Each structure stands twice: as C-alpha cells, then as structure tokens.
Amino acid sequence: MFNRSSRQEAQETESPESMSGAQDNDKPDEFQPGPSASSESANSPDLAALQEKHQQLQDQFTRLAADFDNYRKRTRDEQESLAKYGAQKNILELLPVLDNLERATGSLKEDSDPKLLYKSFSMMHRQLMDGLDNMGVKKIPSIGQVFDPLQHEAVSQMNSAEFPEDTIIHEVQSGYQLFDKVLRPARVIVSTGAPEASAPETAKPAAASGEPAQTPVNPFAQS
C-alpha cells in the first residue's frame, strides 16, 4: 500500500514542464557550427593569401586588356596612315625630275638646238632612273642575256649569227623589278641561232652580170 500510493503521488506531482523537458532530452542533438569555427576559417592565412593573389591577377588582366585595346587602335591608325601616305618618300624622289621636265618644257622652242634637247632629256632620264633606283626599282637586263621566262617575255624569235640560241638579241619593251619581285617582264626577241647553210647560188641576173637582159620566151605565145 505504501509503495503504490507513493508512486502515484510522485507521478501526480510531476509537472507538464518537466515532462516536456524529458521529451526534449530524448531528441537527438543537431550540429550547429559555433562562431569560433567560422571566425577561424575567415582569418585563415591561406585564404587571405589566395584572395590577395586573385586580386593581383584581376588587376593584371585588366591592365592587359586595356593595353591590347590601345595596341589594336594604334595598329589600325598606322595601317590607315601607311595606305594614305605610304608613297610620300617615293614621290619626293620623283619631284626633282618633274621640276626639270617643267623647266625644259618651258624653254622649248621651234628652233631649239636638237643637241641641247637631247642633252636635257638624257639628264632627266638619268635622274629618273636614279630616283627609281633609290626606291629599289631596277631595270631587268635583257640584250645579250640568256632568255629567262621568269624575267623576260619573248614576243618573237629571229636567226642571228652573232648571238647563240636562246639569247636575247633585241629589247622591245624594258622590264623592271622591285628588289627581288618582277614588276613587269622585259619584252624581247630571242635568237634561234645561226641560220642554216644557204642553198647553192643560182645564176645571177643578167643586169647584175653586165650582160644585156633577155626577154624570156613564152611557150604559150602564138607564133
């Protein structure tokens, strides 16, 4: 009797708060990271070094992108300037020739001395060739040279006892090259070698031998 009554009293005296606390104690504990773990990871020296390295790379990439954009704009401007003013140096080489040609044209008269004209134009031709030579333009050699299809263009062939076969004997139009690039091939006439032995001489005409010319007989003439 005593044990039963005391047990009942003990159960009745238990409060709802204590029962709820006992139920809460039965639940498994959930893991919640403490503030100490997050602060330690944020203050880690390795993470700080990585962040600093990332910032350095980001700044370097930004500078490289800006430099490349400036280089692209500068290159474009240089190409446009070269296409527009690239011939300036060459024109300056030819202007003295034009000046002399204008002076010679202004002094020409109908009774001008031919020898003086020849001398003036020869001087201008030489000056023009010097200007072209300074630009890297040279005349392609032709007469007396062996025919080269890379530099010459054959317009015809001709027998020649003076020049051997495949040798250029005459230049129809001059050719020019810029450094090692052919601008225009030389148009030439090429030798086919010495002519073959001629046929035996025929009887000379009477006029050439000094004898009176005789009229040939026409066999179809009516008697």
Side-chain angles (χ1 to χ4, degrees):
M1 295 292 292
F2 177 77
N3 293 332
R4 181 181 179 183
S5 60
S6 60
R7 187 181 300 112
Q8 291 177 352
E9 290 177 359
Q11 291 176 354
E12 291 176 356
T13 55
E14 288 180 355
S15 61
E17 290 80 0
S18 62
M19 295 295 293
S20 62
Q23 292 176 358
D24 293 340
N25 292 332
D26 294 338
K27 295 181 179 180
D29 296 337
E30 295 180 358
F31 174 77
Q32 296 180 357
S36 60
S38 60
S39 60
E40 289 178 358
S41 61
N43 297 328
S44 173
D46 294 339
L47 180 60
L50 290 176
Q51 290 177 347
E52 182 179 0
K53 184 65 175 178
H54 172 74
Q55 186 62 37
Q56 292 177 356
L57 293 175
Q58 183 67 27
D59 295 341
Q60 185 179 5
F61 173 78
T62 303
R63 289 194 298 270
L64 288 175
D67 293 341
F68 178 76
D69 186 61
N70 294 333
Y71 169 78
R72 183 176 57 183
K73 293 179 181 178
R74 184 171 62 254
T75 303
R76 182 185 58 194
D77 294 341
E78 290 177 355
Q79 290 178 348
E80 293 178 354
S81 178
L82 182 62
K84 191 174 183 179
Y85 303 108
Q88 177 178 348
K89 182 180 179 180
N90 296 339
I91 293 174
L92 290 175
E93 292 284 350
L94 298 179
L95 286 181
V97 183
L98 182 61
D99 294 338
N100 291 334
L101 182 60
E102 290 178 349
R103 284 192 288 268
T105 303
S107 62
L108 283 178
K109 297 179 181 179
E110 293 183 358
D111 56 348
S112 297
D113 185 3
K115 293 182 179 180
L116 180 61
L117 291 177
Y118 176 79
K119 182 178 180 180
S120 299
F121 280 98
S122 297
M123 181 188 65
M124 285 186 289
H125 178 266
R126 183 171 61 253
Q127 190 176 16
L128 176 60
M129 295 303 297
D130 291 341
L132 292 175
D133 185 73
N134 293 334
M135 302 177 198
V137 179
K138 297 183 180 298
K139 186 177 179 180
I140 297 176
S142 57
I143 300 178
Q145 302 292 321
V146 177
F147 177 77
D148 183 0
L150 298 179
Q151 295 183 328
H152 307 124
E153 177 185 351
V155 296
S156 66
Q157 292 179 316
M158 183 181 298
N159 294 332
S160 174
E162 179 181 0
F163 295 95
E165 186 178 2
D166 293 333
T167 303
I168 299 172
I169 61 177
H170 182 69
E171 182 181 76
V172 179
Q173 185 181 60
S174 300
Y176 297 92
Q177 62 183 19
L178 178 61
F179 297 106
D180 57 348
K181 180 181 180 181
V182 176
L183 297 176
R184 187 181 71 182
R187 305 185 67 192
V188 297
I189 297 177
V190 183
S191 171
T192 57
E196 297 179 357
S198 58
E201 293 185 358
T202 57
K204 295 182 180 181
S209 61
E211 299 177 0
Q214 298 179 358
T215 305
V217 178
N218 185 0
F220 300 99
Q222 296 180 359
S223 56

